[in-house]
Each structure stands twice: as C-alpha cells, then as structure tokens.
C-alpha cells in the first residue's frame, strides 16, 4: 500500500505576515554569516543594515538600485571625510555644519520617507567625521565596512526573497504634515548631536551614535509614557537578549551556531514586529530591541576574538546605550511639553 506524503506548502500559501517574519529573520541571519565569513572589518554592520533594509515589506531593489545605493552611500559617507578637516581646524564652524547636516539627514528620513538614506547620511556626518579625527585609515575602514555591509544585506535579501515573497505592492506610509515632520527632525537632531559630542571625546563610543540615530528617528514616540517604555525598555530588552544570545553561543562557538542562533532569535523578535505573535508592545519596541541586540553582540564577538574582557566591555556599552536611551526619553518628554505649551499660547493669542 503506497504511503501518501503530504506536500510542503508553497511560500504563497503561507500567511503574508508569517512570510515577512521568516524573510526578515533569514535575511538578517544570512547577512551575519556573510559578514563574518568574509572577515569584514566590522562584520556586525552587515546584519544590522540587512535588518534595516529588509524590514520594509517590499520586494528587494534590483542591481541598478544596489549600484545606486552603493554610490549614494559612498557620497554620503564621504561628507564625513570632508567635514574632518573643518572640525580639526575650525571646530565651531564644523560643529554648526554637523548640526545642520544632522537636521537635513533627519528631515530626509522623517519627511521624505527615505529612512535608509537618512540613516546613512547621518552615519557619514556623525561617525565618519569623528573617526577621521582619530585616523583617516579608520574612517576609510568604516566606509568600506558600511558599503560592504549594505551590499551583503541586499544580496542576502535577493537570496531569501523568492522563498518568502510579497503578494502585492508594499503598503503606503501615512503622510506626515511638513510642520510636524520639521519638528520631528529638530527633535531627532537634538537627540543625536550629544551622542556625536560624546564620540568626539572617545571614538570607542561609536556604537552609541547608531543607537542615537535609531532612537531619534523614531517618529511614533511623542509622550512620556511611550518614551520611557519604548526607548529605555527596549534597550534593556535588547541587552537581555544579547546576554542570552552570548550564553547560548558560548556552548558551541562557531559560525554555524552563530547563524542559527541569529535565525532563532530573529524569528522570535520579528514575529512581534509584524504582529504574528501578540505583544503588549508596539512593533517599534521590538525593532529597537533587535537593533540594540546587534549593536551589543557584534563588538562582544570582536572582543572575544582579540582576548579582551568581554563582560566588562559589554557592561560599558550597555550602560552607554541605556544612558543614550534615558537622554532620548527625557528629551522627547521635555521637548514635547515645551512644544505643547508654545502651541497652547499661540492658540490663546489667536482666540484673544
């Protein structure tokens, strides 16, 4: 009697939200494997950028799009190189240019809906310029790591997308009023700029800039309750997941297990990002958690390879990220209250 074997479901028979979960988790894990297998200078940049690029529910860009994005990335990061001599010889002028550049980058991300472009532009202005003050070789290495990280992220999405495709066009993002968006760009700039000043004092704090950028460009957090829960709570959650990830990886430290752990953790977090698993926290909370996890985990692996005290360095980085999150939360609360009072006074003046 023949044995009947159930056919595996085709990708399009899987619910759309589930497909997005597996696509994002698998793309991040594959980019991590590629970054470390190719021994990039900063291999954790590959999964970080892969997560940022693949989180949007849309088909991947084509070859022309990748070439255009790589060229745009080189140009935006090159702005940081141009700012380096200005910061060195004319510090006040350089700081004003950085402040204006950060506002423009955040405006591009929040008003024009070009999140990745705004993120890369911010990285070029804030990270590359400070790295160039220490060493142009370091700035060049960072540019190469970011460009290759983006390329690996896009190629990983190309490989994963056919297994978990989209059904139709990506959902349209709601339009943001220009006045509101300008205010969000100002708020994001005031969150990122202090992190930039911190990195000027010590380039070892470069990861804090990426965290500040990610927190500053979060346009959904406007009140004290959500600011504390999303910005600070997600940072602690990301640190907790980084510790559990590290403990699991220490059982069998290899690239295969590193990739598999990233896939498992990615599925857990991405399921909450897309609402497959109900959560009391919004998707932005889990996006912050994943970004924090990647920012903490990558340098920890590098510390282990170079023989440094992993736990001490991890606690220092986590403390810095928590401090950035606390500052971002306080800044959101104070700036929103100041703006509300100003709007209320203007309304009363008009009515009078």
């Amino acid at each position: 009697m023949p044995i009947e074997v159930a056919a595996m479901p085709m990708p399009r028979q899987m619910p759309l939200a589930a497909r997005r979960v597996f696509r994002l988790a698998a793309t991040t894990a594959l980019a991590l494997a590629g970054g470390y297998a190719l021994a990039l200078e900063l291999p954790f940049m590959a999964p970080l950028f892969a997560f940022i690029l693949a989180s949007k529910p849309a088909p991947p860009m084509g070859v022309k799009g990748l070439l255009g994005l790589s060229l745009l990335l080189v140009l935006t990061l090159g702005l940081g190189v141009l700012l380096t001599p200005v910061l060195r010889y004319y510090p006040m002028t350089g700081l004003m240019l950085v402040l204006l550049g950060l506002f423009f980058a955040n405006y591009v991300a929040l008003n024009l809906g070009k999140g990745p472009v705004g993120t890369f532009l911010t990285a070029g202005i804030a990270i590359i310029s400070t790295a160039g003050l220490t060493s142009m070789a370091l700035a060049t290495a960072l540019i190469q790591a970011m460009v290759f990280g983006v390329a690996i992220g896009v190629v990983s999405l190309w490989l994963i997308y056919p297994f978990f495709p989209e059904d139709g066009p990506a959902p349209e993002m709601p339009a943001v009023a220009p006045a509101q968006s300008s205010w969000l760009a100002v708020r994001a700039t005031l969150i990122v700029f202090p992190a930039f000043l911190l990195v000027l004092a010590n380039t070892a704090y470069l990861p804090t800039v990426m965290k500040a950028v990610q927190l500053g460009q979060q346009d959904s957090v406007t009140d004290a309750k959500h600011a504390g829960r999303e910005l600070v709570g997600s940072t602690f959650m990301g640190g907790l997941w980084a510790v559990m990830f590290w403990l699991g990886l220490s059982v069998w430290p290899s690239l295969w297990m590193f990739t598999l752990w990233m896939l498992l953790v990615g599925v857990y977090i991405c399921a909450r990002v897309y609402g497959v698993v109900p959560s009391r926290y919004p998707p932005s909370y889990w996006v912050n958690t994943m970004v924090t996890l990647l920012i903490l985990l990558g340098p920890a692996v590098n510390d282990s390879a170079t023989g440094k005290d992993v736990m001490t360095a991890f606690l220092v980085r986590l403390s810095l990220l928590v401090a950035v999150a606390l500052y971002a939360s306080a800044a959101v609360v104070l700036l929103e209250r100041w703006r509300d009072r100003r709007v209320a006074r203007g309304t009363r003046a008009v009515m009078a």
Side-chain angles (χ1 to χ4, degrees), residues 28-176:
T28 306
L30 183 59
L32 180 141
Y36 282 91
L38 295 175
L40 299 183
E41 187 70 23
L42 295 174
F44 70 93
M45 287 289 186
L48 180 60
F49 287 142
F51 182 79
I52 293 174
L53 293 171
S55 58
K56 182 180 180 180
M61 65 182 68
V63 176
K64 291 183 179 179
L66 176 58
L67 294 176
L69 179 61
S70 299
L71 178 60
L72 178 64
L73 183 59
V74 172
L75 293 176
T76 54
L77 296 179
L79 291 177
V81 177
L82 297 178
L83 282 172
T84 298
V86 181
L87 285 169
R88 177 176 286 117
Y89 299 110
Y90 306 99
M92 293 305 300
T93 302
L95 291 176
M96 291 301 299
L97 289 175
V98 168
L99 196 63
L100 291 174
L102 290 177
F103 172 78
F104 175 74
N106 289 310
Y107 189 85
V108 168
L110 296 171
N111 186 54
L112 303 182
K114 305 294 184 181
V117 175
T119 299
F120 298 147
L121 184 58
T122 305
I125 294 172
I127 296 179
I128 304 302
S129 61
T130 52
L133 290 176
T134 302
S135 168
M136 290 306 298
L138 175 60
T140 303
L142 287 174
I143 292 176
Q144 292 176 348
M146 291 184 181
V147 172
F148 281 113
V150 168
I152 291 174
V154 173
V155 172
S156 299
L157 184 57
W158 285 350
L159 296 175
I160 297 298
Y161 183 81
F163 297 99
F164 308 104
E166 288 285 313
D167 277 336
E172 294 290 335
M173 297 299 292
V176 181

Side-chain angles (χ1 to χ4, degrees), residues 2-348:
I3 300 176
E4 295 184 2
V5 180
M8 294 182 61
M10 296 298 291
R12 292 189 182 276
Q13 293 177 338
M14 184 184 295
L16 180 59
R19 264 182 272 149
R20 290 172 175 171
V21 169
F22 287 111
R23 182 173 68 234
L24 181 54
T27 300
T28 306
L30 183 59
L32 180 141
Y36 282 91
L38 295 175
L40 299 183
E41 187 70 23
L42 295 174
F44 70 93
M45 287 289 186
L48 180 60
F49 287 142
F51 182 79
I52 293 174
L53 293 171
S55 58
K56 182 180 180 180
M61 65 182 68
V63 176
K64 291 183 179 179
L66 176 58
L67 294 176
L69 179 61
S70 299
L71 178 60
L72 178 64
L73 183 59
V74 172
L75 293 176
T76 54
L77 296 179
L79 291 177
V81 177
L82 297 178
L83 282 172
T84 298
V86 181
L87 285 169
R88 177 176 286 117
Y89 299 110
Y90 306 99
M92 293 305 300
T93 302
L95 291 176
M96 291 301 299
L97 289 175
V98 168
L99 196 63
L100 291 174
L102 290 177
F103 172 78
F104 175 74
N106 289 310
Y107 189 85
V108 168
L110 296 171
N111 186 54
L112 303 182
K114 305 294 184 181
V117 175
T119 299
F120 298 147
L121 184 58
T122 305
I125 294 172
I127 296 179
I128 304 302
S129 61
T130 52
L133 290 176
T134 302
S135 168
M136 290 306 298
L138 175 60
T140 303
L142 287 174
I143 292 176
Q144 292 176 348
M146 291 184 181
V147 172
F148 281 113
V150 168
I152 291 174
V154 173
V155 172
S156 299
L157 184 57
W158 285 350
L159 296 175
I160 297 298
Y161 183 81
F163 297 99
F164 308 104
E166 288 285 313
D167 277 336
E172 294 290 335
M173 297 299 292
V176 181
Q180 172 71 1
S181 179
S182 299
W183 167 249
L184 293 176
V186 171
R187 194 183 72 182
T189 302
L190 295 178
I191 290 174
V192 177
F193 191 67
F196 167 78
L197 296 178
L198 178 64
V199 175
L200 279 180
N202 191 339
T203 54
Y205 303 148
L206 282 173
T208 61
V209 175
M210 293 302 296
K211 179 65 177 178
V213 171
Q214 187 253 340
L215 293 177
Q217 293 182 357
Q218 175 123 8
D219 58 354
S220 62
V221 179
T222 57
D223 57 76
K225 180 180 178 181
H226 287 87
R229 184 175 61 183
E230 292 193 28
L231 304 185
V232 181
S234 61
T235 302
F236 276 111
M237 181 64 75
L240 178 62
W241 271 106
V243 171
M244 293 189 295
F245 195 119
W246 182 260
L247 293 176
L249 183 61
S250 62
V251 176
W252 186 2
S254 67
L255 182 57
W256 285 105
M257 291 305 299
F258 197 6
T259 304
L260 290 175
W261 276 113
M262 179 56 67
L263 180 61
L264 291 175
V265 174
V267 168
Y268 180 90
I269 294 178
C270 295
R272 285 150 180 81
V273 171
Y274 292 115
V276 174
V277 176
S279 174
R280 52 190 274 183
Y281 301 114
S284 56
Y285 176 94
W286 294 104
V287 170
N288 294 340
T289 298
M290 189 66 169
V291 171
T292 303
L293 166 66
L294 294 171
I295 291 176
L296 289 172
L297 195 60
V301 173
N302 184 65
D303 291 339
S304 176
T306 55
K308 295 182 180 178
D309 187 348
V310 176
M311 191 54 63
T312 301
F314 173 84
L315 292 176
V316 171
R317 292 191 188 95
L318 179 60
S319 300
L320 287 172
L321 296 188
V322 170
V324 170
L326 287 171
Y327 167 74
S329 176
V332 168
V333 173
L334 295 177
L335 290 172
E336 289 296 330
R337 288 180 179 176
W338 173 79
R339 181 171 180 264
D340 290 342
R341 287 197 298 267
R342 185 177 179 184
V343 171
R345 286 198 300 267
T347 302
R348 288 195 297 268

